[in-house]
Amino acid sequence: MSGIHSLTVAEKTILNIGFDDTDSPSGMCTTFLAYKMVGELSGQDAEFLDFPRLVRFNPNIPWKTRGNGAVSIRLQTGDPSGIKRRVRRMISRYSDTKNGANPGLVFLEGGRIPKQFAEFGSMALWRLVRRGDAKKFARQNGLDHTWMGNGQGLVGAIGAIGYDFGDHTLELLSYRRRSRFGTRRDLSAESVRAMQKITAPDTFSSFDTRKGRVMIAPRGPDPVFYGVRGEDVAPLLRATEILRTSEKLDGHMIFKSNQGTGDHLRNKLDPGMSPYSSGTITGSVSAAPRILRGGHVMFAVLSGGHEFWCAVYKPTGMTSVAAGLIPGDRIRAGGGVRRASKRFPRVVNLEFIRVILPARETRISNPPCKSCGKKMKSKGRNQGFECVKCGRRHPAKVRATVRRKVKRRLYLPDVSAHRHLTRPLQRMGRTNTARFDGSPGWFCVYEK
Ligand SMILES: [Zn+2]
C-alpha cells in the first residue's frame, strides 16, 4: 500500500508562482492579475494550498509602483508545465509593459522554500535590492524565471515566494468590471463607517473617523473597487454584506498579506543610513526640534554614538508631538531614509515615535509666594523678589519642573497617513494565527 501511496504523492507537484510589477501608473494591477489567474487556474488541475500572498516591500523605494506589492500563489498540481504555460501567457497578456511595467515571474517547485528565499524576501522589505541582485539570485539558484522591461519585478517575484510571515493580515479586494475601469467609484461612506463599527477590531483602517474619510477605496484607474483589511475570512465576508454601492462588481479575492504588521521596521537602522533603507533607532533627542516651512519638524537623535536626523512631515499628524520633544528625551522611532538635500543630510522620515522616557524640563522663573501662591515681582536688579499681596520676600529666581505635553507612549500617524505596512494601534501586540483551510469564500466571481 505504501508504494501506491508514494506514487500518488509523487504525481503531484507543489508549485510556487511569484510575480510583481505588472502594473503601471495608468492602470492594471498585480493583484487583479492574481485574481484573473486564480480564476483561470481554478478550472485546471490545481489545488490552492494558501491564500494568494500579497507582500508589500520596502515602502521607501523611489521607483516603486503604487504600493510596491508582489504576489505569490502556492498550489498543488499534476500538470506543472501546463500551469506554467498558462501563467506565462497571462503575465504577458495582462502586464502593462507599454506604460512602464517591468514584470518579473518566478516558479519554484517543492513544498519547502529554501532559506535563501526567505532571506531575500526580508531584505527586500527594508533595504534597497537592485534588479541586478535579483537576476543574479535567479541565475545562481537555477530558477525558472522570466522578466520583461528592465526586470525590476524579479525582486518582488522572488521575495513574494520566499517571504516568511511571522504575523499576517488578510485583505479582501473586490474588483470592478472592465467597463467601469476609470469611472468614479460610488461607495457609500456611511456604509463604510457602519462596516468598521460592526467588524472592527477584526477589520482595520477602513474609515478615518477623525477626518471622515473612506480608507478602503483607491482613486484612479485601478481595477480594485475596495480593499478591506482584517484578521480572518468571516469578518471580511461580513464586510462585503454591509458595504453599499450601486455598482455591479466582478468579484473578490482574499489575500494573505504583511500589511498592518509593521514588519519593515523590525531591524535597526545602520549608522551609514543607506538611502531608502527602513528601520528603527533608539536613543536620546540630541538636537531640539525646529519647525520648517510647511510645518514639517526636524530633530536629531543620538543612538549608538551616531546622530540620526529625523523628519516628521505635516500630513502624518505627528508634528505637534515631534515639536514637543526636548533634548534628553529617550525615544524609539522608525521610518525610511531619505536622500540628502541641499539643506539637510540624510534624514529618517518617521513613521512612528515611541516616547520611552521624557526628560525633565525645567524653567527658571520668578518664585511663587508660599502664602498666596502668586508669582512674586522683582524688586529690581539684585534686589530680590516680593509678593505684591502680602509682602513676603525671596532672594532669587527659582527653577521649576514644567509639565510635559509629550507622554510616555506610542505616537502613530493619522490613520489616513498610514502606509500599507503600518501596524495600526489596534494591532499592537497582536499576532494573527488564522490559517487557510480551503473553505470557500476567499475567491468569488459574482454572477452576471
Ligand atoms: Zn503673598
Side-chain angles (χ1 to χ4, degrees), residues 368-374 376 386-392:
C369 171
K370 286 214 171 84
S371 317
C372 319
K374 293 267 282 180
M376 293 182 177
E386 190 182 65
C387 175
V388 286
K389 224 169 147 192
C390 70
R392 195 182 177 111

Side-chain angles (χ1 to χ4, degrees), residues 182-218:
T183 63
R184 211 183 70 84
R185 287 172 182 76
D186 161 45
L187 175 63
S188 150
E190 205 35 62
S191 76
V192 179
R193 181 201 290 271
M195 179 276 282
Q196 174 161 281
K197 211 164 173 192
I198 294 165
T199 59
D202 293 322
T203 61
F204 60 91
S205 306
S206 303
F207 193 81
D208 184 345
T209 40
R210 251 191 50 190
K211 293 187 175 163
R213 195 184 293 171
V214 170
M215 306 292 301
I216 61 171

Side-chain angles (χ1 to χ4, degrees), residues 216-432:
I216 61 171
R219 264 155 280 217
D222 205 295
V224 171
F225 188 75
Y226 59 66
V228 185
R229 287 149 286 203
E231 309 289 337
D232 211 345
V233 175
L236 295 179
L237 294 180
R238 177 95 182 85
T240 63
E241 290 160 9
I242 302 166
L243 295 171
R244 288 279 163 261
T245 172
S246 60
E247 184 169 331
K248 278 289 259 180
L249 299 173
D250 196 75
H252 72 240
M253 187 156 82
I254 294 178
F255 292 84
K256 173 177 174 173
S257 178
N258 61 349
Q259 295 172 151
T261 63
D263 278 355
H264 65 308
L265 300 177
R266 268 193 306 197
N267 60 293
K268 267 188 0 194
L269 268 183
D270 66 295
M273 288 175 69
S274 330
Y276 316 124
S277 58
S278 302
T280 63
I281 43 175
T282 306
S284 298
V285 174
S286 54
R290 25 183 162 151
I291 298 170
L292 310 180
R293 198 186 304 167
H296 316 304
V297 175
M298 296 255 307
F299 62 95
V301 175
L302 189 66
S303 169
H306 183 84
E307 193 163 64
F308 294 85
W309 277 94
C310 301
V312 174
Y313 291 92
K314 182 82 179 167
T316 60
M318 296 196 300
T319 47
S320 62
V321 175
L325 293 170
I326 59 168
D329 279 344
R330 195 155 173 79
I331 67 166
R332 203 164 101 84
V337 175
R338 286 235 173 159
R339 275 205 318 206
S341 68
K342 273 183 204 139
R343 290 179 58 203
F344 294 103
R346 286 178 189 166
V347 296
V348 192
N349 181 3
L350 293 192
E351 297 172 36
F352 80 86
I353 299 171
R354 182 185 282 281
V355 177
I356 300 169
L357 190 62
R360 191 167 155 251
E361 186 177 20
T362 59
R363 198 170 289 150
I364 295 170
S365 61
N366 292 6
C369 171
K370 286 214 171 84
S371 317
C372 319
K374 293 267 282 180
K375 277 261 159 73
M376 293 182 177
K377 280 254 153 63
S378 171
K379 295 285 286 173
R381 202 180 153 81
N382 297 326
Q383 300 296 301
F385 296 83
E386 190 182 65
C387 175
V388 286
K389 224 169 147 192
C390 70
R392 195 182 177 111
R393 298 187 71 143
H394 191 84
K397 288 205 176 203
V398 291
R399 184 176 280 278
T401 301
V402 179
R403 221 176 104 88
R404 297 287 309 277
K405 276 208 200 87
V406 165
K407 299 282 177 263
R408 195 182 199 142
R409 53 159 277 203
L410 171 70
Y411 294 96
L412 285 179
D414 288 342
V415 173
S416 45
H418 282 194
R419 318 182 93 155
H420 289 299
L421 279 158
T422 306
R423 178 178 279 266
L425 219 43
Q426 74 182 61
R427 294 207 78 250
M428 289 298 159
R430 187 166 183 165
T431 304
N432 193 354

